[in-house]
Amino acid sequence: MKKGFVLINNSGVGGAERRFAISFLYLFEQDKEVYLIINFRLYNLLKGVGLLPDNKNIVILKDIIGRFVDQIEERFSLSALSGLFFYIKKVDYIFFAFKTWLFFRKETISVAHLILGGAYVGLPLFLNKEIRVVISVVCPLKRMVGSIIGLYLYLWALRRADIIDALSTGIKTDLLSYGLQNGRIVISPGSFTDIERYFPAHKKKDWVVYAGRFHTDKNPLLFVDAIPSVISSFPGARFYILGEGYLETDVRNRIRELGISTSVEVKFLSDIGEVIRFSRVFVSIQREENYPSQSLLEAMACENAIIATDVGETRRLVDEKTGILIKEDANELAYAIIELLNNPDRSNRMGKCAREMVLREHNPEVFMRYLADLYGKKWQGTSV
């Protein structure tokens, strides 16, 4: 039974991109009839951080409009039109969908696993009873698509999928609110991380790490606001803010305003492992949901003590054994960081418990069995 992952995204490398790239490699080791259909930009990003080696079963879709628009932006310095250009580049998804359809016909693919928003455009081409369609939804739909038209198309695609793979209970609830059939929605066992790639350094340092996109719901500015109080009590601490996004200028400006530039480093790393192996504390302070953040799992695998906002299903990962749960408050965050830095024995115990949880519940084998089940059995469910 030939299977095809369709992974299309031009906006960067996040948790879902990393998770499914690794999933493809694991499945390929056991089944050489697994293919990864991916766009050129995302392939280069994943290959650049060592997540995608050369593989004959990787089908790379080269963009046409995107390259042309990039050349215009670079030549004429039209940064003011970047928003418009972003949507123009989406036209490439139509070409991606057509090329994917041709490949599926040529190779007689029997299972199509569509991941992220860019893939839903191709679903109408897959309306074939001989093809089993699985669509993964990794966040609430309004955050996954940026327009009303996109939301309409996505819902149209989801209603025609055989199975919808929801990353969490909260996401399933969101999907049900749109009238999607309960019997077609399954909840993922969470995410996983590569435990051989993410492991702790022999000696930890007094580093505190935030890693995530610089978006409002991720709360990077809350992290910055907590730093001065920590430095007052623990001047030797060092802080890393790892990511990128529309709030980056605000983050850098706030750091300068607070006079903490010498203690803070802001940069983008496609692979945060080189920092979190050494860090003692990892902060995940999203407004709505920290479960199952890929960066959070990677930090846990590297034996970081965790500080997280007590929202959504966060307690499925963070409890009194693995970290400290807080409200969305800078003072409370600062106090928790100081507590863990001042008590290395406690933070070390939490870090070890965090890695043990990842080894036990969020290892690749658990997720691979889940995927194999999605691909192999005829899901029976009832509608609501």
Side-chain angles (χ1 to χ4, degrees):
M1 179 174 63
K2 294 183 179 181
K3 295 168 281 293
F5 280 76
V6 183
L7 182 58
I8 298 173
N9 179 23
N10 282 333
S11 62
V13 176
E17 291 87 346
R18 299 200 301 274
R19 178 168 65 255
F20 284 106
I22 296 171
S23 297
F24 160 73
L25 295 175
Y26 269 93
L27 291 176
F28 179 78
E29 285 299 313
Q30 300 181 14
D31 184 354
K32 304 307 179 186
E33 292 193 330
V34 177
Y35 296 87
L36 174 63
I37 298 91
I38 186 170
N39 59 302
F40 182 74
R41 295 183 185 207
L42 184 55
Y43 171 75
N44 280 339
L45 288 170
L46 290 168
K47 186 175 182 180
V49 297
L51 286 179
L52 278 185
D54 292 332
N55 185 296
K56 64 182 180 65
N57 281 26
I58 297 178
V59 180
I60 302 172
L61 307 173
K62 293 188 176 181
D63 56 344
I64 299 174
I65 303 297
R67 281 181 293 171
F68 178 70
V69 171
D70 285 343
Q71 291 172 2
I72 293 177
E73 282 187 280
E74 183 176 347
R75 182 173 180 180
F76 298 103
S77 301
L78 299 175
S79 58
L81 298 176
S82 59
L84 174 62
F85 289 151
F86 173 81
Y87 287 102
I88 293 176
K89 292 176 185 178
K90 295 295 185 182
V91 175
D92 276 323
Y93 287 172
I94 298 174
F95 296 107
F96 294 159
F98 181 69
K99 292 176 182 177
T100 300
W101 175 69
L102 289 177
F103 178 80
F104 272 48
R105 288 195 63 184
K106 176 184 175 183
E107 296 294 333
T108 60
I109 304 293
S110 54
V111 175
H113 189 158
L114 310 180
I115 304 152
L116 301 176
Y120 69 80
V121 179
L123 187 61
L125 303 176
F126 301 144
L127 295 182
N128 183 325
K129 292 182 179 180
E130 297 179 357
I131 297 178
R132 183 180 183 81
V133 176
V134 178
I135 299 182
S136 287
V137 182
V138 299
C139 66
L141 293 189
K142 286 186 178 179
R143 286 170 49 194
M144 198 158 186
V145 293
S147 67
I148 295 298
I149 294 176
L151 179 61
Y152 175 82
L153 289 173
Y154 208 158
L155 287 170
W156 188 89
L158 290 170
R159 291 189 177 101
R160 285 154 182 80
D162 292 291
I163 296 178
I164 302 170
D165 161 46
L167 186 56
S168 68
T169 302
I171 292 173
K172 178 176 180 178
T173 300
D174 177 68
L175 292 170
L176 291 174
S177 71
Y178 290 94
L180 294 167
Q181 294 178 325
N182 184 36
R184 291 187 178 183
I185 305 173
V186 295
I187 300 174
S188 165
S191 186
F192 71 91
T193 190
D194 188 339
I195 54 180
E196 295 182 359
R197 184 184 182 95
Y198 295 99
F199 54 88
H202 179 68
K203 187 175 181 179
K204 288 288 186 176
K205 300 182 180 182
D206 292 325
W207 292 358
V208 184
V209 177
Y210 164 99
R213 289 192 171 98
F214 297 162
H215 292 181
T216 303
D217 61 300
K218 304 285 187 178
N219 260 331
L221 292 171
L222 178 67
F223 181 70
V224 175
D225 287 341
I227 293 175
S229 296
V230 180
I231 294 175
S232 297
S233 300
F234 212 93
R238 182 154 187 82
F239 302 84
Y240 289 86
I241 304 177
L242 308 177
E244 60 181 354
Y246 63 83
L247 288 178
E248 182 171 351
T249 300
D250 293 340
V251 168
R252 293 184 181 276
N253 288 341
R254 185 75 62 85
I255 290 170
R256 284 193 292 269
E257 291 170 4
L258 295 173
I260 56 176
S261 298
T262 57
S263 299
V264 185
E265 185 169 350
V266 181
K267 61 182 177 180
F268 171 77
L269 292 175
S270 295
D271 182 0
I272 64 174
E274 63 188 68
V275 173
I276 58 174
R277 287 191 188 98
F278 297 93
S279 58
R280 186 177 301 280
V281 179
F282 184 87
V283 174
S284 183
I285 45 176
Q286 297 189 46
R287 289 186 167 176
E288 296 180 4
E289 183 64 84
N290 295 295
Y291 173 87
S293 162
Q294 195 69 27
S295 297
L296 174 55
L297 284 171
E298 291 165 357
M300 294 176 70
C302 291
E303 293 190 359
N304 282 239
I306 307 301
I307 299 173
T309 41
D310 190 6
V311 295
E313 298 178 63
T314 301
R315 287 175 180 264
R316 293 182 63 180
L317 286 177
V318 185
D319 58 21
E320 69 281 354
K321 294 181 180 179
T322 60
I324 299 175
L325 290 161
I326 64 168
K327 296 178 182 177
E328 189 181 328
D329 179 81
N331 291 328
E332 196 168 332
L333 173 57
Y335 179 84
I337 295 173
I338 293 169
E339 170 68 18
L340 292 176
L341 291 179
N342 276 330
N343 295 278
D345 289 342
R346 183 186 182 192
S347 61
N348 288 340
R349 286 196 303 272
M350 286 180 169
K352 291 184 183 301
C353 287
R355 180 169 173 83
E356 288 171 3
M357 176 184 283
V358 171
L359 292 173
R360 183 177 63 252
E361 301 178 21
H362 297 278
N363 62 71
E365 286 71 22
V366 171
F367 195 73
M368 294 310 111
R369 288 197 296 270
Y370 168 74
L371 288 184
D373 187 50
L374 291 189
Y375 300 158
K377 80 173 186 179
K378 187 68 175 179
W379 188 260
Q380 299 293 334
T382 57
S383 302
V384 292

